[in-house]
Amino acid sequence: MKKLFCLVLMAVAAVSVNAQNVQLHYDFGRNIYSNEEDGRQKVTMTLEQFKADKWGSWFYFVDIDFSRKFTESAYAEISREFNIGNKGFAAHVEYNGGLNRSMSFQQAALLGGAWNGHSADFSKTYSVQLMYKRYFKSYDYTNAYHSFQLTGVWGLDFADKKCRFSGFIDFWRGEKANGHGQLVILTEPQLWYNVTDHFSLGTEVEVSNNFVFNTDPTSDKKFFINPTLAVKWNF
């Protein structure tokens, strides 16, 4: 999913050389943390696509967050990988950025390496990426700074491919308002039941630390768990 805050993630859980889907998530975060996440989006639509070619692969996703009255934000990540040999290694280049109603997300560029693999029937997929990350200055209260990101991505089909467990986990160096660094952790496991070859019902659970912007000035909470109910259409 999606964020009203500076999201950095990568998700490549495709089981074919060309896969595209659209997801619609109803987010319960604001119901669970009524003070700390006041104003959090209720609904997020995600469009993502993975496409492999003879040089490597492309991946992108776009998250659009909605409230009752507005389109709150649009956030995108796009990446390109170039295969290195035939052992699953690849060079990885990525861009993250987007807009919301009041400001832009802080842009970032990433460069590094990836190790990708899968089972013979593609029912199990995985990717590990280690990247240098550069944040760019966007507003007076933001700073350009150096960072890193470690990402793991997985996909698992089971129950005769009627169910799918997939997701990612990210670790990266963020920056506090005082300029000090902090470790940010974000993971978003998804569980889907494939009603048909195209239509799926499922859930996503966003688990994060030092990621969600806490809107309650009396609370120092940094760890959040935000579940969703979702539907997905696979093209």
XYZ file of all heavy atoms in Angstrom, residues 114-205:
767
model
N 20.860 -6.527 -6.352
C 19.760 -7.410 -5.959
C 20.154 -8.855 -6.229
O 20.957 -9.148 -7.126
C 18.490 -7.061 -6.730
N 19.570 -9.730 -5.443
C 19.684 -11.177 -5.660
C 18.277 -11.736 -5.691
O 17.537 -11.650 -4.705
C 20.507 -11.829 -4.559
C 20.674 -13.313 -4.746
C 21.061 -13.957 -5.886
C 20.457 -14.330 -3.762
N 21.097 -15.315 -5.681
C 20.731 -15.578 -4.370
C 20.072 -14.298 -2.426
C 20.617 -16.778 -3.690
C 19.962 -15.513 -1.738
C 20.226 -16.735 -2.376
N 17.883 -12.287 -6.842
C 16.514 -12.738 -7.071
C 16.496 -14.237 -7.357
O 17.435 -14.784 -7.944
C 15.896 -12.004 -8.270
C 16.009 -10.499 -8.142
O 15.637 -9.931 -7.115
N 16.524 -9.838 -9.177
N 15.387 -14.872 -6.958
C 15.271 -16.295 -7.236
C 13.839 -16.776 -7.148
O 12.937 -16.048 -6.733
N 13.645 -18.031 -7.564
C 12.304 -18.614 -7.561
C 12.422 -20.129 -7.650
O 13.463 -20.681 -8.042
C 11.479 -18.092 -8.739
C 12.128 -18.332 -10.076
N 12.053 -19.535 -10.741
C 12.881 -17.512 -10.864
C 12.717 -19.453 -11.883
N 13.234 -18.235 -11.986
N 11.350 -20.790 -7.270
C 11.279 -22.238 -7.436
C 11.015 -22.566 -8.903
O 10.710 -21.683 -9.714
C 10.168 -22.813 -6.555
O 8.913 -22.267 -6.922
N 11.114 -23.832 -9.248
C 10.969 -24.231 -10.653
C 9.610 -23.860 -11.224
O 9.498 -23.502 -12.400
C 11.206 -25.736 -10.784
N 8.564 -23.923 -10.410
C 7.221 -23.602 -10.902
C 6.780 -22.181 -10.542
O 5.617 -21.831 -10.711
C 6.205 -24.606 -10.346
C 6.130 -24.573 -8.819
O 6.937 -23.849 -8.187
O 5.259 -25.266 -8.262
N 7.704 -21.372 -10.032
C 7.430 -19.979 -9.653
C 6.421 -19.858 -8.504
O 5.900 -18.775 -8.257
C 6.924 -19.156 -10.853
C 8.012 -18.763 -11.806
C 8.360 -19.604 -12.843
C 8.686 -17.567 -11.664
C 9.366 -19.269 -13.733
C 9.690 -17.206 -12.541
C 10.035 -18.058 -13.576
N 6.146 -20.926 -7.796
C 5.236 -20.823 -6.648
C 5.907 -20.151 -5.455
O 5.227 -19.673 -4.543
C 4.736 -22.216 -6.237
O 5.814 -23.036 -5.800
N 7.243 -20.111 -5.454
C 8.007 -19.401 -4.436
C 8.943 -18.420 -5.133
O 9.675 -18.809 -6.044
C 8.822 -20.365 -3.577
C 8.013 -21.437 -2.873
C 8.925 -22.360 -2.087
C 8.147 -23.482 -1.409
N 7.585 -24.429 -2.410
N 8.899 -17.158 -4.715
C 9.790 -16.141 -5.271
C 10.409 -15.349 -4.133
O 9.824 -15.221 -3.057
C 9.032 -15.176 -6.204
O 8.008 -14.488 -5.462
C 8.392 -15.918 -7.368
N 11.600 -14.814 -4.376
C 12.255 -13.993 -3.366
C 13.198 -13.000 -4.038
O 13.647 -13.199 -5.180
C 13.027 -14.855 -2.363
C 14.150 -15.666 -2.983
C 15.413 -15.123 -3.200
C 13.938 -16.993 -3.367
C 16.422 -15.863 -3.774
C 14.946 -17.741 -3.928
C 16.196 -17.177 -4.132
O 17.205 -17.916 -4.710
N 13.469 -11.931 -3.311
C 14.415 -10.919 -3.768
C 15.017 -10.241 -2.545
O 14.305 -9.927 -1.592
C 13.726 -9.879 -4.654
O 14.639 -8.860 -5.040
N 16.335 -10.033 -2.575
C 17.037 -9.286 -1.528
C 17.802 -8.165 -2.219
O 18.558 -8.414 -3.170
C 18.002 -10.181 -0.734
C 18.733 -9.355 0.342
C 17.255 -11.348 -0.095
N 17.608 -6.926 -1.742
C 18.226 -5.765 -2.376
C 18.965 -4.936 -1.327
O 18.419 -4.656 -0.259
C 17.165 -4.898 -3.054
C 16.366 -5.627 -4.112
C 14.905 -5.264 -4.104
O 14.523 -4.209 -3.641
N 14.070 -6.173 -4.585
N 20.175 -4.539 -1.622
C 20.967 -3.654 -0.771
C 21.366 -2.452 -1.602
O 22.030 -2.600 -2.638
C 22.206 -4.377 -0.237
C 23.115 -3.549 0.679
C 22.364 -3.087 1.924
C 24.361 -4.343 1.064
N 20.957 -1.247 -1.145
C 21.082 -0.060 -2.004
C 21.565 1.166 -1.240
O 21.219 1.365 -0.071
C 19.720 0.253 -2.639
C 19.201 -0.836 -3.565
S 17.440 -0.653 -3.939
C 16.705 -1.178 -2.386
N 22.358 1.964 -1.927
C 22.631 3.331 -1.472
C 21.407 4.167 -1.807
O 20.806 4.012 -2.878
C 23.858 3.899 -2.179
C 23.974 5.398 -2.077
C 24.384 6.010 -0.889
C 23.651 6.214 -3.162
C 24.480 7.388 -0.798
C 23.739 7.593 -3.070
C 24.154 8.174 -1.888
O 24.232 9.540 -1.792
N 21.034 5.065 -0.873
C 19.828 5.870 -1.052
C 20.161 7.338 -0.841
O 20.818 7.695 0.146
C 18.766 5.417 -0.045
C 17.387 6.036 -0.241
C 16.415 5.374 0.731
C 14.986 5.798 0.461
N 14.036 5.098 1.369
N 19.683 8.185 -1.729
C 19.936 9.618 -1.633
C 18.607 10.358 -1.576
O 17.801 10.297 -2.510
C 20.729 10.104 -2.844
C 20.925 11.616 -2.921
C 21.814 12.141 -1.806
N 22.090 13.564 -2.000
C 22.817 14.305 -1.159
N 23.359 13.734 -0.092
N 23.021 15.582 -1.399
N 18.372 11.026 -0.448
C 17.211 11.900 -0.323
C 17.573 13.288 -0.831
O 18.677 13.778 -0.592
C 16.763 11.998 1.136
C 15.936 10.836 1.607
C 16.498 9.822 2.374
C 14.587 10.750 1.289
C 15.733 8.757 2.819
C 13.814 9.680 1.725
C 14.389 8.696 2.484
O 13.629 7.642 2.912
N 16.601 13.940 -1.505
C 16.823 15.272 -2.050
C 16.022 16.299 -1.251
O 14.919 16.029 -0.791
C 16.417 15.326 -3.521
C 17.184 14.369 -4.379
C 16.629 13.164 -4.774
C 18.476 14.660 -4.778
C 17.333 12.268 -5.560
C 19.204 13.779 -5.566
C 18.628 12.572 -5.955
N 16.566 17.478 -1.115
C 15.882 18.557 -0.398
C 14.643 18.966 -1.187
O 14.709 19.192 -2.392
C 16.810 19.758 -0.227
C 16.195 20.921 0.545
C 17.201 22.043 0.695
C 16.599 23.241 1.401
N 16.225 22.962 2.798
N 13.500 19.081 -0.498
C 12.271 19.480 -1.180
C 11.705 20.776 -0.628
O 11.279 21.643 -1.388
C 11.216 18.365 -1.062
O 10.977 18.035 0.292
N 11.705 20.953 0.695
C 11.215 22.168 1.320
C 12.270 22.678 2.294
O 13.250 21.992 2.590
C 9.889 21.918 2.057
C 8.747 21.579 1.126
C 8.425 20.252 0.845
C 7.995 22.580 0.507
C 7.390 19.928 -0.018
C 6.963 22.273 -0.350
C 6.660 20.950 -0.609
O 5.636 20.633 -1.470
N 12.045 23.870 2.816
C 13.036 24.468 3.712
C 13.298 23.626 4.949
O 14.383 23.639 5.504
C 12.587 25.878 4.132
C 12.638 26.870 2.977
O 13.348 26.584 1.996
O 11.968 27.910 3.067
N 12.273 22.866 5.389
C 12.446 22.077 6.600
C 12.980 20.669 6.314
O 13.081 19.846 7.221
C 11.127 21.979 7.380
C 9.976 21.394 6.593
C 9.803 20.014 6.474
C 9.064 22.233 5.943
C 8.762 19.488 5.744
C 8.010 21.712 5.218
C 7.867 20.342 5.120
O 6.828 19.832 4.378
N 13.329 20.365 5.080
C 13.934 19.075 4.741
C 15.389 19.271 4.324
O 15.791 20.368 3.915
C 13.177 18.377 3.605
O 13.269 19.180 2.402
C 11.710 18.179 3.965
N 16.144 18.215 4.419
C 17.548 18.249 4.046
C 17.858 17.126 3.071
O 17.272 16.048 3.149
C 18.439 18.082 5.282
C 18.256 19.188 6.293
O 18.382 20.359 5.963
N 17.957 18.814 7.533
N 18.786 17.393 2.165
C 19.333 16.314 1.353
C 20.304 15.527 2.229
O 21.083 16.110 2.987
C 20.045 16.883 0.135
N 20.227 14.196 2.158
C 21.146 13.412 2.980
C 21.338 12.022 2.385
O 20.544 11.545 1.582
C 20.666 13.325 4.435
C 19.359 12.614 4.675
C 19.322 11.254 5.009
C 18.148 13.292 4.601
C 18.129 10.599 5.257
C 16.948 12.652 4.859
C 16.941 11.305 5.179
O 15.747 10.659 5.421
N 22.441 11.398 2.830
C 22.797 10.063 2.377
C 22.105 9.027 3.259
O 21.924 9.230 4.459
C 24.302 9.860 2.444
C 25.082 10.867 1.673
N 25.120 10.875 0.301
C 25.848 11.917 2.082
C 25.885 11.869 -0.116
N 26.329 12.519 0.941
N 21.745 7.910 2.659
C 21.074 6.861 3.406
C 21.407 5.514 2.774
O 22.227 5.425 1.846
C 19.558 7.112 3.415
O 18.871 6.119 4.139
N 20.781 4.474 3.295
C 20.900 3.130 2.735
C 19.543 2.465 2.859
O 18.669 2.903 3.619
C 21.940 2.297 3.498
C 21.454 1.863 4.857
C 20.809 0.649 5.028
C 21.628 2.685 5.959
C 20.333 0.263 6.278
C 21.157 2.302 7.215
C 20.509 1.105 7.373
N 19.337 1.395 2.114
C 18.108 0.613 2.256
C 18.404 -0.857 2.006
O 19.074 -1.212 1.031
C 17.025 1.092 1.290
C 15.704 0.340 1.443
C 14.564 1.024 0.708
O 14.344 2.221 0.835
N 13.844 0.246 -0.089
N 17.899 -1.701 2.905
C 17.943 -3.153 2.745
C 16.508 -3.636 2.623
O 15.674 -3.335 3.483
C 18.623 -3.808 3.946
C 18.603 -5.342 3.989
C 19.383 -5.931 2.814
C 19.161 -5.848 5.323
N 16.222 -4.351 1.552
C 14.853 -4.792 1.256
C 14.819 -6.293 1.007
O 15.674 -6.836 0.311
C 14.304 -4.054 0.016
O 14.143 -2.674 0.317
C 12.956 -4.619 -0.409
N 13.807 -6.935 1.568
C 13.524 -8.332 1.259
C 12.102 -8.450 0.749
O 11.186 -7.814 1.273
N 11.894 -9.229 -0.299
C 10.580 -9.416 -0.911
C 10.330 -10.913 -1.069
O 11.251 -11.670 -1.373
C 10.510 -8.725 -2.300
C 9.092 -8.812 -2.868
C 10.959 -7.284 -2.213
N 9.086 -11.338 -0.839
C 8.785 -12.764 -0.961
C 7.399 -12.971 -1.560
O 6.534 -12.089 -1.502
C 8.866 -13.449 0.397
C 7.752 -13.073 1.332
C 6.523 -13.673 1.452
C 7.733 -11.976 2.252
N 5.749 -13.038 2.395
C 6.476 -11.989 2.896
C 8.661 -10.984 2.595
C 6.125 -11.055 3.868
C 8.312 -10.049 3.561
C 7.056 -10.098 4.187
N 7.196 -14.140 -2.124
C 5.889 -14.567 -2.601
C 5.772 -16.078 -2.468
O 6.727 -16.809 -2.767
N 4.621 -16.555 -2.008
C 4.420 -17.989 -1.805
C 2.991 -18.353 -2.171
O 2.035 -17.840 -1.575
C 4.690 -18.369 -0.344
C 4.345 -19.803 0.065
C 5.223 -20.801 -0.690
C 4.486 -19.981 1.567
N 2.824 -19.212 -3.157
C 1.518 -19.764 -3.506
C 1.326 -21.097 -2.789
O 2.246 -21.919 -2.732
C 1.416 -19.995 -5.018
C 1.435 -18.700 -5.802
O 0.844 -17.718 -5.328
O 2.048 -18.669 -6.888
N 0.131 -21.329 -2.246
C -0.143 -22.592 -1.566
C -1.622 -22.935 -1.707
O -2.383 -22.176 -2.329
C 0.282 -22.524 -0.089
C -0.432 -21.485 0.729
C -1.510 -21.828 1.522
C -0.011 -20.163 0.718
C -2.165 -20.884 2.299
C -0.657 -19.203 1.493
C -1.745 -19.567 2.274
N -2.023 -24.070 -1.152
C -3.399 -24.570 -1.272
C -3.803 -24.679 -2.743
O -4.846 -24.179 -3.165
C -4.382 -23.691 -0.508
N -2.933 -25.359 -3.514
C -3.185 -25.551 -4.938
C -3.356 -24.214 -5.653
O -4.199 -24.065 -6.535
C -4.418 -26.435 -5.156
C -4.469 -27.021 -6.562
O -3.392 -27.155 -7.188
O -5.584 -27.338 -7.029
N -2.542 -23.234 -5.248
C -2.505 -21.884 -5.820
C -3.795 -21.088 -5.617
O -4.021 -20.094 -6.290
C -2.144 -21.928 -7.310
C -0.736 -22.458 -7.578
C -0.324 -22.289 -9.019
C 1.118 -22.740 -9.222
N 1.571 -22.572 -10.620
N -4.627 -21.532 -4.669
C -5.811 -20.748 -4.328
C -5.471 -19.619 -3.360
O -6.235 -18.654 -3.231
C -6.892 -21.634 -3.711
C -7.500 -22.634 -4.676
C -8.221 -21.945 -5.836
C -9.468 -21.213 -5.382
N -10.218 -20.599 -6.511
N -4.327 -19.716 -2.688
C -3.932 -18.699 -1.714
C -2.513 -18.223 -2.031
O -1.690 -18.973 -2.562
C -3.973 -19.260 -0.295
S -5.617 -19.753 0.259
N -2.267 -16.970 -1.672
C -0.938 -16.397 -1.877
C -0.540 -15.543 -0.676
O -1.317 -14.705 -0.214
C -0.879 -15.550 -3.151
C 0.512 -14.965 -3.421
C 0.636 -14.405 -4.824
N 1.951 -13.848 -5.067
C 3.042 -14.545 -5.370
N 2.952 -15.852 -5.474
N 4.202 -13.959 -5.584
N 0.669 -15.794 -0.172
C 1.256 -14.999 0.902
C 2.450 -14.267 0.317
O 3.384 -14.889 -0.184
C 1.684 -15.902 2.053
C 2.350 -15.171 3.174
C 1.723 -14.117 3.816
C 3.620 -15.545 3.603
C 2.338 -13.441 4.865
C 4.241 -14.887 4.651
C 3.594 -13.826 5.276
N 2.421 -12.941 0.364
C 3.474 -12.152 -0.263
C 3.727 -10.899 0.566
O 2.968 -10.565 1.480
C 3.089 -11.769 -1.698
O 1.894 -11.000 -1.704
N 4.782 -10.191 0.227
C 5.056 -8.958 0.945
C 6.502 -8.540 0.836
O 7.278 -9.084 0.049
N 6.867 -7.566 1.670
C 8.227 -7.055 1.690
C 8.555 -6.572 3.091
O 7.675 -6.338 3.918
C 8.401 -5.893 0.695
C 7.678 -4.646 1.118
C 8.305 -3.692 1.910
C 6.366 -4.413 0.731
C 7.634 -2.559 2.330
C 5.691 -3.277 1.125
C 6.324 -2.344 1.938
N 9.840 -6.405 3.352
C 10.302 -5.739 4.559
C 11.458 -4.829 4.179
O 12.337 -5.221 3.403
C 10.710 -6.746 5.663
C 11.070 -5.998 6.945
C 11.817 -7.685 5.200
C 11.197 -6.893 8.165
N 11.392 -3.590 4.659
C 12.405 -2.577 4.371
C 13.066 -2.116 5.661
O 12.400 -1.932 6.689
C 11.774 -1.330 3.729
C 11.373 -1.535 2.292
O 11.961 -2.400 1.629
O 10.475 -0.813 1.831
N 14.368 -1.909 5.595
C 15.127 -1.232 6.646
C 15.866 -0.083 5.979
O 16.548 -0.303 4.967
C 16.156 -2.165 7.296
C 15.572 -3.441 7.843
C 15.430 -4.561 7.038
C 15.194 -3.523 9.179
C 14.914 -5.741 7.550
C 14.677 -4.704 9.699
C 14.531 -5.811 8.885
N 15.731 1.127 6.494
C 16.510 2.221 5.929
C 16.821 3.280 6.977
O 16.190 3.326 8.032
C 15.816 2.849 4.717
C 14.649 3.750 4.990
C 14.670 5.087 5.211
C 13.265 3.374 5.022
N 13.404 5.575 5.383
C 12.522 4.547 5.270
C 12.586 2.166 4.850
C 11.129 4.533 5.363
C 11.202 2.162 4.954
C 10.492 3.331 5.196
N 17.807 4.090 6.671
C 18.184 5.184 7.566
C 17.337 6.405 7.240
O 17.397 6.953 6.156
C 19.667 5.538 7.415
C 20.104 6.700 8.320
C 21.492 7.208 7.984
N 21.860 8.330 8.841
C 21.549 9.601 8.587
N 20.861 9.906 7.488
N 21.929 10.564 9.410
N 16.518 6.809 8.213
C 15.771 8.048 8.099
C 16.480 9.158 8.850
O 17.557 8.971 9.412
N 15.854 10.328 8.846
C 16.450 11.469 9.529
C 15.402 12.172 10.363
O 14.314 12.500 9.879
C 17.063 12.439 8.510
C 17.910 13.514 9.142
C 18.667 14.342 8.108
O 18.114 15.342 7.631
O 19.814 13.960 7.773
N 15.705 12.428 11.635
C 14.811 13.145 12.522
C 14.815 14.638 12.193
O 15.648 15.118 11.426
C 15.244 12.944 13.977
C 15.246 11.503 14.443
C 15.730 11.414 15.877
C 15.810 9.976 16.357
N 16.295 9.881 17.761
N 13.884 15.376 12.810
C 13.798 16.815 12.580
C 15.080 17.528 13.008
O 15.449 18.567 12.432
C 12.596 17.393 13.324
N 15.783 16.981 14.001
C 17.022 17.611 14.463
C 18.244 17.180 13.648
O 19.388 17.528 13.992
C 17.247 17.317 15.942
C 17.365 15.820 16.242
O 17.456 15.000 15.331
N 17.351 15.472 17.518
N 18.018 16.382 12.604
C 19.108 15.957 11.740
C 19.775 14.662 12.149
O 20.623 14.147 11.417
N 19.408 14.113 13.303
C 19.980 12.843 13.736
C 19.347 11.682 12.965
O 18.174 11.726 12.614
C 19.766 12.650 15.237
C 20.553 13.612 16.079
N 20.427 13.686 17.437
C 21.473 14.542 15.728
C 21.235 14.617 17.912
N 21.874 15.153 16.886
N 20.130 10.653 12.740
C 19.620 9.512 12.001
C 18.779 8.583 12.869
O 18.873 8.597 14.099
N 17.942 7.785 12.223
C 17.149 6.774 12.914
C 16.877 5.625 11.957
O 16.802 5.815 10.741
C 15.830 7.356 13.427
C 14.889 7.846 12.347
C 13.594 8.406 12.898
O 13.338 8.369 14.087
N 12.758 8.939 12.005
N 16.752 4.424 12.520
C 16.446 3.261 11.705
C 14.939 3.160 11.517
O 14.190 3.141 12.494
C 16.965 1.983 12.370
C 16.660 0.672 11.626
C 17.356 0.648 10.270
C 17.071 -0.524 12.478
N 14.493 3.115 10.272
C 13.082 2.970 9.941
C 12.840 1.543 9.473
O 13.615 1.008 8.667
C 12.651 3.964 8.846
C 11.147 3.861 8.586
C 13.027 5.384 9.229
N 11.793 0.932 9.990
C 11.422 -0.430 9.603
C 9.992 -0.414 9.097
O 9.108 0.163 9.731
C 11.543 -1.399 10.789
C 12.968 -1.395 11.342
C 11.144 -2.817 10.364
C 13.124 -2.210 12.614
N 9.770 -1.043 7.969
C 8.430 -1.132 7.391
C 8.268 -2.492 6.736
O 9.110 -2.907 5.940
C 8.214 -0.030 6.347
C 6.899 -0.084 5.560
C 5.715 0.172 6.483
C 6.912 0.909 4.407
N 7.192 -3.188 7.081
C 6.859 -4.432 6.402
C 5.362 -4.453 6.125
O 4.569 -3.936 6.919
C 7.281 -5.669 7.217
O 6.987 -6.860 6.464
C 6.582 -5.725 8.555
N 4.960 -5.042 5.009
C 3.556 -5.099 4.614
C 3.230 -6.483 4.043
O 3.096 -6.656 2.833
C 3.221 -4.006 3.592
C 3.313 -2.603 4.163
C 2.869 -1.542 3.171
O 2.492 -1.909 2.032
O 2.903 -0.351 3.517
N 3.104 -7.483 4.881
C 2.689 -8.809 4.390
C 1.238 -8.789 3.912
O 0.388 -8.121 4.506
C 2.860 -9.706 5.613
C 2.779 -8.783 6.782
C 3.364 -7.489 6.327
N 0.971 -9.512 2.844
C -0.372 -9.633 2.285
C -0.760 -11.109 2.203
O 0.076 -11.959 1.899
C -0.440 -9.029 0.878
C -0.209 -7.544 0.822
C -0.388 -6.995 -0.595
O -0.331 -7.737 -1.582
N -0.608 -5.701 -0.700
N -2.034 -11.395 2.452
C -2.580 -12.738 2.298
C -3.801 -12.647 1.396
O -4.738 -11.888 1.687
C -2.956 -13.329 3.652
C -3.524 -14.756 3.634
C -2.480 -15.741 3.101
C -3.988 -15.166 5.029
N -3.796 -13.419 0.291
C -4.869 -13.351 -0.697
C -5.502 -14.721 -0.904
O -4.800 -15.744 -0.918
C -4.332 -12.865 -2.044
C -3.780 -11.478 -2.021
C -2.467 -11.112 -1.947
C -4.531 -10.267 -2.091
N -2.348 -9.749 -1.961
C -3.603 -9.199 -2.052
C -5.890 -9.971 -2.194
C -3.994 -7.863 -2.103
C -6.288 -8.635 -2.240
C -5.339 -7.608 -2.191
N -6.802 -14.713 -1.099
C -7.527 -15.901 -1.555
C -8.000 -15.632 -2.974
O -8.738 -14.667 -3.230
C -8.727 -16.202 -0.655
C -9.572 -17.348 -1.177
C -9.109 -18.656 -1.098
C -10.809 -17.109 -1.776
C -9.862 -19.703 -1.586
C -11.569 -18.150 -2.265
C -11.091 -19.450 -2.178
O -11.842 -20.491 -2.685
N -7.569 -16.468 -3.911
C -7.876 -16.270 -5.316
C -9.240 -16.889 -5.648
O -9.361 -18.091 -5.836
C -6.785 -16.893 -6.193
C -5.425 -16.283 -5.906
O -5.298 -15.067 -5.760
N -4.413 -17.122 -5.815
N -10.254 -16.048 -5.713
C -11.609 -16.505 -6.014
C -11.664 -17.039 -7.438
O -12.267 -18.087 -7.712
C -12.629 -15.372 -5.810
C -14.045 -15.860 -6.110
C -12.543 -14.821 -4.383
N -11.051 -16.298 -8.365
C -10.897 -16.736 -9.760
C -9.457 -16.463 -10.166
O -8.645 -16.002 -9.365
C -11.860 -15.981 -10.700
O -11.427 -14.609 -10.814
C -13.296 -16.012 -10.166
N -9.138 -16.702 -11.434
C -7.790 -16.397 -11.926
C -7.510 -14.900 -11.896
O -6.340 -14.488 -11.893
C -7.617 -16.906 -13.353
C -7.563 -18.423 -13.420
O -7.303 -19.050 -12.367
O -7.785 -18.976 -14.519
N -8.561 -14.078 -11.886
C -8.385 -12.625 -11.933
C -8.744 -11.920 -10.630
O -8.147 -10.890 -10.303
C -9.228 -12.033 -13.064
C -8.818 -12.478 -14.422
N -7.682 -12.007 -15.061
C -9.381 -13.373 -15.277
C -7.573 -12.593 -16.246
N -8.590 -13.424 -16.407
N -9.712 -12.433 -9.883
C -10.240 -11.716 -8.722
C -9.800 -12.368 -7.422
O -9.913 -13.588 -7.253
C -11.769 -11.680 -8.787
C -12.410 -10.950 -7.640
C -12.253 -9.584 -7.493
C -13.159 -11.644 -6.701
C -12.840 -8.905 -6.435
C -13.750 -10.982 -5.638
C -13.588 -9.604 -5.504
N -9.295 -11.520 -6.471
C -8.811 -12.025 -5.188
C -9.360 -11.180 -4.046
O -9.571 -9.972 -4.187
C -7.279 -11.991 -5.132
O -6.702 -12.749 -6.173
N -9.577 -11.830 -2.898
C -9.938 -11.170 -1.656
C -8.790 -11.358 -0.670
O -8.166 -12.430 -0.642
C -11.215 -11.773 -1.066
C -12.482 -11.678 -1.898
C -13.602 -12.498 -1.241
C -12.927 -10.216 -2.044
N -8.531 -10.329 0.146
C -7.408 -10.500 1.054
C -7.257 -9.403 2.078
O -8.179 -8.616 2.328
N -6.080 -9.374 2.650
C -5.751 -8.395 3.682
C -4.277 -8.052 3.583
O -3.469 -8.823 3.047
C -6.057 -8.948 5.084
O -5.766 -7.950 6.068
C -5.226 -10.184 5.386
N -3.961 -6.881 4.111
C -2.578 -6.441 4.244
C -2.413 -5.886 5.648
O -3.322 -5.227 6.174
C -2.245 -5.363 3.209
C -0.863 -4.749 3.369
C -0.632 -3.637 2.359
O -0.224 -3.942 1.221
O -0.890 -2.467 2.701
N -1.274 -6.142 6.267
C -0.997 -5.612 7.595
C 0.302 -4.807 7.527
O 1.381 -5.375 7.317
C -0.879 -6.729 8.646
C -0.622 -6.116 10.027
C -2.144 -7.573 8.676
